């Protein structure tokens, strides 16, 4: 895993550092000699670093001694008018046309993904909205708040069509099952619940773990995985729960996996610190991130020993997202990066400086991030 390299524009000079695990950091600098006729800066690196390639929006730097390299990508556009304070969550609709985001300014908004232009304001939660996401249709939004309520909204007219009540603490994350007849929520009250959207009813408590559930993920299970059988006949209102796994990222340093329909345990993994987020990469591979900066890659078929542990800094891992044949991660120190199997370098999404990047969403070759500095950044991966 390539260690992080950081750059900052500063009067034609930027500092670089390479942090190999367990070894002293290497430091260097970049110097800009001016802008070429093509509008691309001419940049050289100090001893120990090489500038491989540079364009208007990116610079690819390697550190041969540690055989590591990173490509730093600047935002293509930045939306500063959506919110006035820290943006805690965002999502992009399946067609790529709309964004939804929630903020500590107390608002949840729908906006045009192309230019950040405001479309709708979703009003109805009391206190902060913690999480928001589009249903697969792209026409409906699911949100969860500190008021312990889950709400479903029409993206077209901003009306709240369903409110789910039952949790006793703030809702921290949600997942949508299949096309969205059912949804899952994870709460500070230590429970994960399954809900029927059509009848706005709770179909059951999936897990009660006595510790805050910070992240939830639902994934289709590889057919080699034994998910167990339900103790009683599932309700006919459960749609698409069979052959699915539920992953819970817990505050008590535990990562829990169970059969979504069976509610039976698949594994329980103990990490180095509180788990903040989790996601499935495939029918048996998953990622989960901790408060002390570890990203665990686990194989559900043999979960005791991690496939790998990626540690780039001690900053909390705040979001993880499967992307192409790799993943995107964001951390509390402002780093946001893409790891891909077929690339020998890491792509660093720059601009957040030291402000936490809370969430990342993608649509085709575009990546959107939201940050404590109240900005939504959009990156364009044109050359991938």
């Amino acid at each position: 895993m390539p260690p992080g390299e950081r750059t900052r524009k500063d009067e034609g000079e930027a500092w670089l550092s390479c942090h190999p695990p367990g070894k002293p950091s290497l430091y260097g600098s970049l110097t800009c000699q001016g802008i070429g006729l093509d509008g691309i800066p001419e940049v050289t690196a100090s001893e120990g670093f090489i500038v491989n390639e540079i364009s208007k929006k990116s610079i690819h730097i390697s550190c041969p001694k540690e055989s590591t390299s990173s490509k730093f990508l600047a935002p293509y556009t930045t939306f500063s008018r959506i919110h006035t304070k820290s943006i805690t969550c965002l999502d992009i609709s399946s067609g790529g046309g709309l964004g939804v985001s929630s903020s500590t300014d107390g608002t949840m908004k729908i906006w045009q993904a192309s230019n950040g232009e405001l479309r709708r304001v979703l009003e109805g939660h009391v206190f902060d909205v913690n999480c928001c996401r589009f249903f697969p249709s792209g026409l409906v939004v699911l949100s969860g708040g500190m008021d312990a309520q889950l709400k479903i909204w029409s993206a077209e007219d901003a009306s709240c069509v369903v409110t789910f009540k039952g949790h006793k603490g703030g809702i921290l994350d949600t997942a949508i099952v299949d096309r969205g007849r059912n949804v899952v929520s994870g709460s500070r009250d230590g429970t994960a619940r399954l809900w029927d959207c059509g009848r706005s009813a709770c179909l059951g408590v999936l897990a009660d773990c006595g510790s805050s559930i910070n992240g939830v993920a639902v994934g289709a299970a590889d057919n080699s995985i034994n998910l167990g059988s339900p103790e009683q006949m599932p309700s006919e209102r459960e749609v698409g729960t069979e052959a699915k796994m539920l992953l819970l990222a817990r505050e008590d340093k535990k990562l829990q996996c169970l059969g979504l329909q069976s509610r039976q345990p698949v594994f329980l993994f103990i990490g180095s610190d509180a788990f903040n987020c989790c996601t499935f990469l495939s029918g048996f591979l998953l990622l989960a991130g901790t408060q002390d900066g570890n990203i665990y890659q686990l194989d559900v078929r043999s979960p005791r020993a991690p496939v790998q542990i990626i540690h780039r800094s001690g900053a909390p891992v705040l979001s993880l997202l499967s992307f192409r044949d790799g993943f995107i991660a964001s951390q509390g120190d402002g780093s946001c990066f893409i790891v891909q199997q077929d690339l020998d370098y890491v792509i660093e999404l720059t601009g957040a400086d030291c402000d936490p990047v809370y969430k990342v969403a993608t649509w085709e070759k575009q990546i959107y991030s939201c940050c404590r500095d109240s900005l939504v950044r959009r990156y364009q991966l044109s050359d991938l």
Side-chain angles (χ1 to χ4, degrees):
M1 255 317 296
E5 292 160 26
R6 276 292 174 84
T7 62
R8 184 167 299 144
K9 283 195 193 128
D10 195 310
E11 298 303 329
E13 193 165 61
W15 301 106
L16 281 174
S17 64
C18 175
H19 311 285
K23 292 193 210 163
S25 293
L26 303 169
Y27 295 97
S29 63
L30 296 177
T31 310
C32 178
Q33 269 89 16
I35 308 290
L37 293 171
D38 50 8
I40 293 170
E42 292 170 16
V43 175
T44 54
S46 63
E47 193 187 344
F49 295 92
I50 297 171
V51 176
N52 303 68
E53 184 195 356
I54 188 162
S55 71
K56 284 183 186 175
K57 289 282 185 188
S58 70
I59 181 167
H60 183 185
I61 300 162
S62 56
C63 176
K65 182 169 179 263
E66 292 300 331
S67 58
T68 177
S69 78
S70 290
K71 184 173 201 171
F72 297 91
L73 190 61
Y76 183 76
T77 43
T78 301
F79 305 144
S80 57
R81 294 210 298 275
I82 302 174
H83 293 286
T84 57
K85 287 188 184 167
S86 178
I87 305 174
T88 49
C89 194
L90 95 167
D91 193 25
I92 302 296
S93 65
S94 52
L98 294 176
V100 63
S101 54
S102 60
S103 165
T104 57
D105 65 15
T107 65
M108 177 166 46
K109 295 179 177 178
I110 290 176
W111 34 275
Q112 247 172 259
S114 57
N115 58 15
E117 196 178 297
L118 187 63
R119 279 275 161 266
R120 299 274 178 268
V121 179
L122 306 178
E123 290 178 301
H125 277 288
V126 192
F127 313 126
D128 280 1
V129 180
N130 293 324
C131 47
C132 54
R133 66 169 72 243
F134 283 100
F135 277 79
S137 68
L139 304 171
V140 186
V141 168
L142 175 68
S143 66
M146 286 310 271
D147 56 8
Q149 298 185 61
L150 269 175
K151 288 179 177 286
I152 296 177
W153 311 79
S154 159
E156 292 161 308
D157 66 6
S159 62
C160 175
V161 283
V162 172
T163 299
F164 297 118
K165 293 180 181 174
H167 277 296
K168 308 239 178 337
I171 291 158
L172 301 178
D173 199 14
T174 61
I176 290 173
V177 182
D178 242 25
R179 293 220 197 102
R181 299 268 298 276
N182 294 169
V183 298
V184 173
S185 57
S187 164
R188 285 175 73 160
D189 66 14
T191 66
R193 291 172 181 259
L194 183 71
W195 306 86
D196 169 14
C197 297
R199 287 196 185 152
S200 61
C202 182
L203 291 169
V205 174
L206 300 168
D208 188 350
C209 53
S211 173
S212 188
I213 297 173
N214 297 324
V216 299
V218 169
D222 185 83
N223 55 21
S224 63
I225 295 162
N226 178 12
L227 297 178
S229 313
E231 284 166 18
Q232 56 224 52
M233 194 61 189
S235 154
E236 76 282 356
R237 302 292 301 177
E238 274 194 38
V239 183
T241 55
E242 63 283 347
K244 300 265 193 335
M245 298 176 282
L246 173 65
L247 197 55
L248 306 176
R250 295 167 33 170
E251 185 68 23
D252 61 3
K253 307 187 184 183
K254 291 176 180 154
L255 183 70
Q256 180 179 0
C257 182
L258 52 151
L260 181 57
Q261 188 181 74
S262 70
R263 331 277 209 255
Q264 300 297 318
V266 176
F267 72 79
L268 190 66
F269 177 84
I270 299 173
S272 56
D273 202 349
F275 279 100
N276 291 331
C277 51
C278 55
T279 191
F280 286 101
L281 295 177
S282 72
F284 51 85
L285 282 177
L286 61 92
L287 291 177
T290 59
Q291 186 66 14
D292 60 356
N294 284 328
I295 298 172
Y296 291 89
Q297 184 177 355
L298 299 181
D299 187 324
V300 181
R301 300 164 303 185
S302 55
R304 282 211 177 110
V307 179
Q308 61 171 338
I309 302 173
I310 297 158
H311 184 93
R312 291 168 45 110
S313 79
V317 181
L318 299 175
S319 76
L320 289 166
L321 182 64
S322 168
F323 182 68
R324 313 225 165 163
D325 61 357
F327 66 90
I328 309 176
S330 73
Q331 289 185 268
D333 58 1
S335 69
C336 187
F337 60 93
I338 309 174
V339 174
Q340 298 220 256
Q341 282 170 359
D342 57 348
L343 291 183
D344 55 1
Y345 57 88
V346 170
I347 298 173
E348 307 263 358
L349 304 177
T350 68
D353 205 14
C354 299
D355 277 301
V357 177
Y358 290 115
K359 193 84 175 173
V360 178
T362 60
W363 184 73
E364 293 187 348
K365 290 182 179 175
Q366 297 177 42
I367 296 171
Y368 295 78
S369 70
C370 67
C371 182
R372 188 173 69 185
D373 64 10
S374 82
L375 300 178
V376 170
R377 291 177 174 84
R378 176 161 75 102
Y379 301 87
Q380 193 84 32
L381 293 179
S382 46
D383 49 351
L384 266 192

